[in-house]
Amino acid sequence: MIKPIQLVSLVLAAGFSSFINAMTLDISGNSSICQDTALIQQGILDYYSGDGVFQDPYYWWEGGLAFGLMIENTFLCQNTTFNSKLQDALIAQSGTSWDFMPESQTMVEGNDDQGVWGLTLMTAAERNFSRAANGTESRKNIPEWVTMAQSIYNTMYARWDTSSCGGGLRWQIYTWNNGYNYKNTIANGCLFNLAARLGRYFNNQTYMDQAEEIFTWLVDVDFINLNGSSAKVYDGATTTSNCSDITALEWSYNYGTILGGAAYMYDATNQSSVWESRVNDLWEGTSSTFFNSDGIMYEQQCQASKTCNNDQRCFKSLLSMMLEYTYLLVPTLKDDIYDKLTTSAKAAAGSCDGGYDGHTCGMNWFTSTNDGYYGLGEQMSALGAIQSLLGSSRPDLYKESTNEYMAKGDATAGTATSSSSNEEALLENQLDVTKGDKVGAAFLTAVVLSILIAGSVSMLF
Ligand SMILES: *[C@@H]1O[C@H](CO)[C@@H](O)[C@H](O)[C@H]1NC(C)=O
Ligand SMILES: *[C@@H]1O[C@H](CO)[C@@H](O)[C@H](O)[C@H]1NC(C)=O
Ligand SMILES: *[C@@H]1O[C@H](CO)[C@@H](O)[C@H](O)[C@H]1NC(C)=O
Ligand SMILES: *[C@@H]1O[C@H](CO)[C@@H](O)[C@H](O)[C@H]1NC(C)=O
Ligand SMILES: *[C@@H]1O[C@H](CO)[C@@H](O)[C@H](O)[C@H]1NC(C)=O
Ligand SMILES: *[C@@H]1O[C@H](CO)[C@@H](O)[C@H](O)[C@H]1NC(C)=O
Ligand SMILES: *[C@@H]1O[C@H](CO)[C@@H](O)[C@H](O)[C@H]1NC(C)=O
Ligand SMILES: *[C@@H]1O[C@H](CO)[C@@H](O)[C@H](O)[C@H]1NC(C)=O
């Protein structure tokens, strides 16, 4: 739960300069959408500390997602104002091997955290996000965004674990973190989404085969249930039960990540009937679970009970982004998805009339006005829904083959043989963690994690 006093001061700090009452959204053309999303991003940056990190209590992974939404905005609105800021953020958090395992996260990073940053790097690749807008030497020397995505993907895929549940990634990377004994959909969903997108970007069968493998595993353990025409996507299960004790909570970002990955596979396989059927069932499940009878998106697991934590309050942003990509990749679903996104975007804009700046967004979009909630998650969710309407007005998601200047990537990034990585040094670092360090780390993470994963613990029970 948010700290109201801290946030009130932040909203105050947002300034009176651009005071407006409520946010009007005209969905014809791009000018109203781009003006609104500029205001919403101003609200996002009120919480920004710099160097790729948002202020406490917002966690590292949420920053990764916020930058992905903002990179998407630079493309949809053709606005380079924040290019430098976004490049700085990605570079600052990329770690020594460009795999987004920075030292600051060494003790606490989870597969889902790393994976969500990976989705952002793929967006940077597919939107041809500039690496060198301001031409400094350091920018010229960084690897391509897609190479960083491959580095993330390779380090994650190397953690595929067959010691329980017949496969899958654990939620946590490190044994000393709560959640090491839990395998979940978001960690594996990010891996799946990355494999599908890398497969499509490079037209590479290896990634596509791995995407199929990951998806099949998620179905095998029943995290994804494709029984009937409306798919279900659950949160995860413990390794100690061999994944038999499913936590049947349903979160919008899990559905979004899986649906989006399936849409990429549908496109990458040249509209295979297998992926067509999966993508249709996943959309059916998403549409019947996360939209009310008016067609407005909501986080059904916690929104009505007002129990959504900071993490959960930004989940809708990931769903919106994946719905945008799905309607671009699966034309037969375009009208249905676009219709619900339009209704949701209008409702979201209606909620953006709060705070001292007069355009702070709320959590619940059913009310035509701000519901009293505000924070990074509310800004991100409104941004995702509103900008998603511009997908068709811009070129399709790029691939390596789009033109000869597209990023070529490096399939070995993040592996021991990689030329662009310093993986050995990093590995040594990790293995160097002595018993004493572990105790210290356990203490540190007990403190950090008691807050950090409060939301995820509530996902467990
Ligand atoms: C571009 O983005 C900046 C920062 O959000 C904003 O101030 C400006 O109005 C935007 N330009 C256009 C043409 O929308
Ligand atoms: C807005 O749409 C118009 C007409 O389609 C297009 O010419 C223009 O480039 C677009 N502007 C932005 C910022 O995307
Ligand atoms: C380039 O980026 C750096 C870091 O964000 C910034 O300090 C500098 O002013 C930028 N230079 C130009 C010419 O925009
Ligand atoms: C654990 O689950 C996997 C996947 O469902 C299954 O293949 C395996 O046989 C199970 N192992 C045990 C010991 O039950
Ligand atoms: C496809 O990707 C794999 C790594 O995932 C790589 O080993 C292989 O060389 C790639 N194939 C082509 C044709 O680029
Ligand atoms: C699939 O659905 C049918 C009918 O609703 C039910 O009888 C069956 O147990 C379900 N199977 C699985 C694996 O959920
Ligand atoms: C899909 O079609 C394109 C163009 O014909 C081809 O290059 C590509 O290899 C095909 N992909 C698959 C997975 O069949
Ligand atoms: C991507 O960016 C590069 C370098 O900025 C440019 O040369 C290339 O044409 C762009 N690709 C597309 C498809 O716009």
Side-chain angles (χ1 to χ4, degrees), residues 25 29-39 41 73 76-79 386 390:
L25 177 64
N30 51 30
S31 61
S32 166
I33 293 177
C34 290
Q35 280 162 20
D36 285 358
T37 54
L39 285 176
Q41 289 180 92
N73 191 268
L76 296 174
C77 290
Q78 300 184 70
N79 188 332
I386 294 170
L390 288 180

Side-chain angles (χ1 to χ4, degrees), residues 404-458:
E404 59 190 301
Y405 306 108
M406 294 302 292
K408 298 284 176 283
D410 172 5
T412 67
T415 66
T417 52
S418 166
S419 53
S420 63
S421 100
N422 192 18
E423 186 71 5
E424 261 179 62
L426 189 80
L427 264 177
E428 267 168 34
N429 256 340
Q430 287 168 5
L431 297 175
D432 250 11
V433 178
T434 64
K435 208 174 173 190
D437 285 342
K438 269 193 190 171
V439 175
F443 177 74
L444 177 82
T445 54
V447 177
V448 176
L449 285 175
S450 63
I451 314 161
L452 179 83
I453 60 168
S456 314
V457 168
S458 77

Side-chain angles (χ1 to χ4, degrees), residues 319-361:
L319 176 57
S320 289
M321 199 164 174
M322 288 300 154
L323 288 178
E324 177 201 336
Y325 294 162
T326 301
Y327 81 63
L328 291 175
L329 296 163
V330 189
T332 50
L333 293 179
K334 163 88 196 276
D335 289 350
D336 198 11
I337 294 180
Y338 200 82
D339 199 44
K340 287 204 162 67
L341 282 173
T342 303
T343 309
S344 300
K346 286 180 178 165
S351 86
C352 297
D353 65 350
Y356 290 91
D357 62 6
H359 53 252
T360 297
C361 305

Side-chain angles (χ1 to χ4, degrees), residues 107-124:
M107 295 299 177
V108 294
E109 187 163 344
N111 279 308
D112 53 348
D113 304 326
Q114 193 186 9
V116 167
W117 280 89
L119 307 184
T120 288
L121 272 300
M122 276 316 297
T123 290

Side-chain angles (χ1 to χ4, degrees), residues 146-167:
V146 76
T147 302
M148 298 190 201
Q150 288 174 296
S151 187
I152 292 173
Y153 178 76
N154 287 336
T155 50
M156 288 177 70
Y157 190 70
R159 299 186 196 116
W160 189 261
D161 165 55
T162 52
S163 70
S164 60
C165 312

Side-chain angles (χ1 to χ4, degrees), residues 118-134:
L119 307 184
T120 288
L121 272 300
M122 276 316 297
T123 290
E126 294 161 350
R127 293 329 200 160
N128 204 22
F129 181 58
S130 167
R131 278 181 303 150
N134 84 358

